[in-house]
Amino acid sequence: MAKVLCVLYPDPVDGYPPVLARDGLPKLERYPNGQTLPTPAAIDFTPGELLGCVSGELGLRRFLEDAGHTFVVTSDKEGPDSEFERELPDADVVISQPFWPAYLTPERLEKAAKLQLAITAGIGSDHVDLATAIEKGITVAEVTYSNSIAVAEHTVMQVLALVRDYLPQVGIVVDGGWNIADAVQRSYDLEGMDVGVLAAGRIGRAVLERLAPFGVTLHYTDRFRLPDDVEQSLGLTFHESIEELVREIDVLTVHAPLTDETRGILNDELLGTMRRGSYIVNPARGAIADRDAIVRALESGQLAGYAGDVWYPQPAPADHPWRTMPHHGMTPHTSGTSLPSQAKYAAGTREILEAFFAGRPLRDEYTIVAGGAYAGTGARSYAKPS
Ligand code: NAD
């Protein structure tokens, strides 16, 4: 029987379960590319519940314990005395979420002598040291597509919020004010702007499709070009590199995984080549940006706004400069953990566990590392191109 160790974010401060704002969720069968939604044999939760926190347990306890497995759920993940680190040495499976990542460093993977499977309940497995997982033959899987559309929606919301300068306007109303000149002095229209996307995978492409009706000119760069008919129907201009892309745009949105190639690429030098007053929305990974370079660019006016929901490390410390820098629209890491996203990645996690316990191969699209190499989505999105 296996031990499954699961790290989730803490419960709501007012207790669990919260009163839900709506009854139920819209029913979806497929993702935009035709991929089916998760197909576990059963689920023990009602879609729309808060599943991503400790008491939500991703709805997995009955399924795992009825099968005789041990299931440990904690949010205590930092440092050698944390519950995560104490439970890790005899865990067979670790489940973690990018929103509250249990960093599986080389040192921790060394201690996890029994670990066979690391599941990301969501998308983005950079909190696992993938090179060490490859070396040790640990399988790494994520619930590909589970929250891609949710992140695309959050991105569009933040692009509009920055360009129109929405958040300060709400602040003026909340503070009892009505000075319209103050409210509009940084407010622009998205219409007519050049918008560029770094990485047109599932999220980046959904952002391009959602922004096309705003009357913008769309640009992108990726290691792989989109099909001709997609480029034509969206009017896309392809750029060979991020350096080429950023010179031509007013708004950049970022949707690449965090890898050796993308770490720290939003640095002083690159930001300095952008048009003065550009906007960046980065819901990919915080470490793709140089933290202090972003602050400097906002303070100098080189950037007119920065938003996203990803930080490094997570949770961000109280004195993280992105909390207080000017003209930002940062949220905690929430875009991919809306209630519909939780239903999808909880079901997908169960589907992955069912396959693992039955000795069946995982869906190719869920696989990042398997058999000592990048595989499936991992081979396309994480591995260095050969
Ligand atoms: P995806 O695998 O569909 O797409 C990733 C794309 O990045 C691929 O098209 C790949 O070719 C491209 N790419 C990889 N390295 C690149 C590079 N160096 N330069 C240019 N392009 C590169 O993944 P997705 O579902 O679109 O998710 C993308 C990323 O978004 C994830 O890896 C994760 O880090 C992040 N994400 C964040 C949240 C959130 O809640 N904020 C949720 C889901 C995913």
Side-chain angles (χ1 to χ4, degrees):
M1 290 296 110
K3 173 171 165 184
V4 178
L5 175 56
C6 181
V7 180
L8 300 174
Y9 45 76
D11 284 354
V13 287
D14 291 333
Y16 185 91
V19 177
L20 297 172
R22 293 177 55 83
D23 305 321
L25 299 179
K27 191 149 175 44
L28 306 173
E29 302 287 343
R30 288 182 182 277
Y31 296 111
N33 70 349
Q35 181 186 316
T36 53
L37 262 67
T39 51
I43 51 170
D44 298 322
F45 60 84
T46 306
E49 289 175 7
L50 181 62
L51 301 165
C53 63
V54 169
S55 293
E57 301 185 320
L58 298 177
L60 291 172
R61 185 166 295 279
R62 198 159 90 203
F63 156 66
L64 289 169
E65 290 188 346
D66 283 359
H69 304 300
T70 304
F71 187 41
V72 178
V73 184
T74 182
S75 62
D76 180 22
K77 68 184 182 80
E78 299 302 340
D81 297 328
S82 62
E83 189 174 355
F84 176 61
E85 200 136 331
R86 286 199 307 273
E87 297 284 354
L88 189 59
D90 62 345
D92 301 276
V93 178
V94 165
I95 303 171
S96 177
Q97 291 188 295
F99 324 105
W100 189 262
Y103 296 104
L104 279 171
T105 58
E107 299 72 37
R108 280 178 162 174
L109 287 170
E110 205 52 57
K111 284 187 195 162
K114 292 184 68 188
L115 190 63
Q116 296 174 64
L117 173 64
I119 304 176
T120 301
I123 301 173
S125 297
D126 51 276
H127 60 280
V128 182
D129 189 89
L130 297 176
T132 310
I134 286 171
E135 198 185 295
K136 294 187 150 303
I138 297 166
T139 300
V140 181
E142 57 186 50
V143 190
T144 304
Y145 234 139
S146 57
N147 54 19
S148 301
I149 299 303
V151 177
E153 288 187 5
H154 202 90
T155 306
V156 172
M157 171 185 80
Q158 291 190 320
V159 167
L160 289 167
L162 288 185
V163 171
R164 301 208 56 88
D165 207 31
Y166 169 64
L167 294 171
Q169 295 171 21
V170 175
I172 287 173
V173 170
V174 170
D175 292 343
W178 193 263
N179 191 309
I180 291 176
D182 279 341
V184 299
Q185 60 180 289
R186 296 180 63 87
S187 186
Y188 292 88
D189 297 342
L190 186 59
E191 184 183 30
M193 285 192 173
D194 288 288
V195 179
V197 162
L198 166 59
R202 291 169 183 83
I203 298 173
R205 180 167 164 179
V207 168
L208 291 166
E209 289 166 351
R210 278 155 183 73
L211 286 178
F214 280 89
V216 293
T217 303
L218 292 170
H219 306 247
Y220 80 104
T221 185
D222 195 299
R223 304 187 312 180
F224 302 101
R225 247 182 119 147
L226 290 166
D228 283 351
D229 59 324
V230 176
E231 285 195 355
Q232 275 160 23
S233 69
L234 294 172
L236 303 180
T237 302
F238 175 75
H239 298 265
E240 289 290 342
S241 68
I242 178 78
E243 289 78 13
E244 247 186 51
L245 172 76
V246 297
R247 285 199 293 265
E248 306 292 330
I249 57 176
D250 305 289
V251 181
L252 173 70
T253 74
V254 180
H255 310 290
L258 177 64
T259 62
D260 291 345
E261 285 170 80
T262 60
R263 187 179 301 278
I265 50 174
L266 302 181
N267 57 22
D268 286 313
E269 201 186 334
L270 190 84
L271 299 175
T273 65
M274 297 182 82
R275 294 176 181 163
R276 191 185 80 84
S278 291
Y279 304 88
I280 297 179
V281 173
N282 170 17
R285 283 296 176 260
I288 292 175
D290 173 332
R291 185 192 72 174
D292 298 332
I294 296 295
V295 178
R296 282 190 287 272
L298 287 167
E299 285 175 351
S300 72
Q302 178 61 12
L303 283 183
Y306 183 92
D309 67 332
V310 285
W311 309 65
Y312 185 79
Q314 290 191 181
D319 62 354
H320 195 295
W322 287 4
R323 290 182 186 270
T324 49
M325 64 191 178
H327 314 304
H328 82 80
M330 291 296 297
T331 58
H333 195 160
T334 50
S335 67
T337 185
S338 59
L339 296 171
S341 299
Q342 292 176 36
K344 287 181 225 142
Y345 66 65
T349 301
R350 175 149 171 184
E351 181 187 339
I352 291 168
L353 287 168
E354 286 176 0
F356 172 73
F357 290 130
R360 291 194 306 267
L362 308 183
R363 281 202 213 191
D364 213 36
E365 60 258 32
Y366 291 165
T367 307
I368 303 300
V369 165
Y374 288 106
T377 293
R380 186 179 162 87
S381 295
Y382 287 81
K384 281 208 177 84
S386 45

